Amino acid sequence: MFEVLVDHIEKKVHLTEPEKELIRPLFMARKLRKKQYLLQASEVCTHLTFVAKGLLRSYNVDDKGNEHINQFAWEGWWISDFYSFLTQEEALFNIDAMEETEVLMISRHDYEELTLKVPAMDRYFRILYQNSLVTKDRRLMSSTTHTAEEKYLQFAKRYAPILGRIPQHLIASYLGLAPETISRIRRKRMTKDAG
Amino acid sequence: MFEVLVDHIEKKVHLTEPEKELIRPLFMARKLRKKQYLLQASEVCTHLTFVAKGLLRSYNVDDKGNEHINQFAWEGWWISDFYSFLTQEEALFNIDAMEETEVLMISRHDYEELTLKVPAMDRYFRILYQNSLVTKDRRLMSSTTHTAEEKYLQFAKRYAPILGRIPQHLIASYLGLAPETISRIRRKRMTKDAG
DNA sequence: AAAAAACATTGATCTGGATCAATCAGCCGG
DNA sequence: CCGGCTGATTGATCCAGATCAATGTTTTTT
């Protein structure tokens, strides 16, 4: 399980054996059942989480009780309420497991230590965040410039490998659409493909 | 001018004198007139840009010719089309100056070199991107969960120091609203405050 | 200081997608 | 193999904010 993490890191930076040995004890393994919370809004997010297996989502709940999904994280992704993790203020997001999931977690303190002791990890996270920023920029742009249909089609393309693992109403929630809207888009496409 | 950059970096990490000397020649200073492009969509974004003085915006233009502002960058901010910078593919964003502006720019090649030779800069950018991710998360959340009025008020609060430097219709464009909507929100507030 | 841009306001109307309200389908545990 | 979740579909209606169309104001240019 730790190997999944090391493999992921070594795709971006080189680690020496002693560095790997230093890293290992900083992570805590944990299993989550389907629907189990990893974090609830108004708690403090104490750990950064790496997904070794399974699927998680982060989401916030608005005044009217509607859920808005912020991120899906599956094998090889990191997830957290970054704001809360960095400031140690109350989290705004909930994170829970959509499947049986196995994760590796590192605490705020150990994360600081890790980046200070292993400069390659500063570099790893720098590259990781860099890529993440590109994704967020794209998503933000899509949210203002695209129609519901364009958003859905783009999502279906980008998330093709795990599309089957995400129920439609959660895709809707991620895209800021009503589930009915996704349903209608799909129907329209079906009939168009047939004709 | 270079000092503005070094000050900014040293708020996050420590630099030795030799490191500063190494960094200096990697940056190119440039002045921009109001309305001058720093980057146009479909060019390749070759440099990361630090704003020493002035105000820039990045934005994309949709099929209907509408501009959607992605970011404002003033003194102490970085701006680029990150996707294009990293991949050397065509940029999707335009970047131009909203005021007379002075910037420091670093090329893709020198950025690589910088982070390899000065690990503190990996750390600096790691922290920078980390904070940037928090901001983007917030903005994304706001875009799906808040009303037009909430978005505008939040913006006015967050951007208070430079609110006077940004025309209203550009705020509208940043928030994904019509200029008329901002106007109406303000009127409503005015009369409410008066009553 | 006049002309022209650029920006803001206001009102009337329109619309994409939300919301409300059923109904339907699949799956899973006992 | 049935009863109860959980999710998907379909139709009818509604609404926040867009769009269209003037008019007014401020800033820039010459």
Side-chain angles (χ1 to χ4, degrees), chain B:
Chain B
M1 189 163 163
F2 184 68
E3 279 313 306
V4 183
L5 174 58
V6 171
D7 286 355
H8 190 259
I9 295 172
E10 292 204 306
K11 269 181 208 144
K12 301 204 160 65
V13 297
H14 176 72
L15 291 178
T16 65
E17 278 309 314
E19 282 173 340
K20 286 185 209 172
E21 286 319 300
L22 194 153
I23 293 174
R24 177 174 231 124
L26 300 180
F27 283 89
M28 180 181 76
R30 196 169 155 192
K31 290 192 189 209
L32 297 169
R33 301 221 176 116
K34 199 171 170 169
K35 297 200 179 178
Q36 189 177 340
Y37 281 114
L38 181 67
L39 175 73
Q40 292 191 59
S42 86
E43 291 175 356
V44 169
C45 177
T46 57
H47 293 71
L48 232 46
T49 299
F50 177 83
V51 185
K53 191 170 179 316
L55 180 58
L56 301 168
R57 72 210 248 255
S58 76
Y59 60 99
N60 71 300
V61 181
D62 69 22
D63 310 333
K64 280 178 240 142
N66 300 315
E67 293 179 1
H68 302 268
I69 294 182
N70 177 53
Q71 193 197 342
F72 295 111
W74 61 98
E75 296 80 19
W77 289 72
W78 290 85
I79 193 165
S80 74
D81 182 318
F82 227 148
Y83 167 75
S84 172
F85 179 74
L86 294 175
T87 62
Q88 298 290 296
E89 304 275 337
E90 290 190 357
L92 297 175
F93 294 115
N94 302 276
I95 302 178
D96 65 22
M98 292 164 58
E99 305 173 353
E100 299 287 302
T101 297
E102 296 177 17
V103 297
L104 289 165
M105 303 171 67
I106 184 167
S107 72
R108 181 76 234 268
H109 174 270
D110 291 348
Y111 172 72
E112 255 345 289
E113 191 157 306
L114 176 62
T115 58
L116 285 168
K117 287 198 182 151
V118 186
M121 290 304 291
D122 256 335
R123 187 173 179 81
Y124 167 74
F125 285 114
R126 195 262 294 163
I127 295 169
L128 194 74
Y129 299 159
Q130 204 170 259
N131 294 333
S132 199
L133 278 173
V134 171
T135 307
K136 301 248 187 233
D137 270 348
R138 292 254 160 162
R139 187 166 161 215
L140 211 36
M141 175 171 141
S142 177
S143 86
T144 40
T145 74
H146 294 149
T147 64
E149 181 164 0
E150 288 165 336
K151 285 179 207 179
Y152 174 71
L153 294 176
Q154 215 175 262
F155 181 92
K157 208 167 163 188
R158 256 186 67 68
Y159 287 77
I162 56 149
L163 210 56
R165 291 160 69 183
I166 308 178
Q168 261 178 56
H169 72 282
L170 296 186
I171 296 175
S173 166
Y174 178 86
L175 295 174
L177 302 173
E180 294 93 331
T181 303
I182 301 266
S183 188
R184 284 187 253 265
I185 287 167
R186 296 187 72 232
R187 175 174 41 150
K188 208 178 78 179
R189 295 246 114 205
M190 294 286 246
T191 60
K192 194 193 282 179
D193 288 353

Side-chain angles (χ1 to χ4, degrees), chain A residues 1 29-33 36 100-103:
Chain A
M1 188 163 162
R30 194 168 155 194
K31 289 192 189 207
L32 298 169
R33 302 221 175 116
Q36 188 178 341
E100 300 284 303
T101 297
E102 295 177 18
V103 296

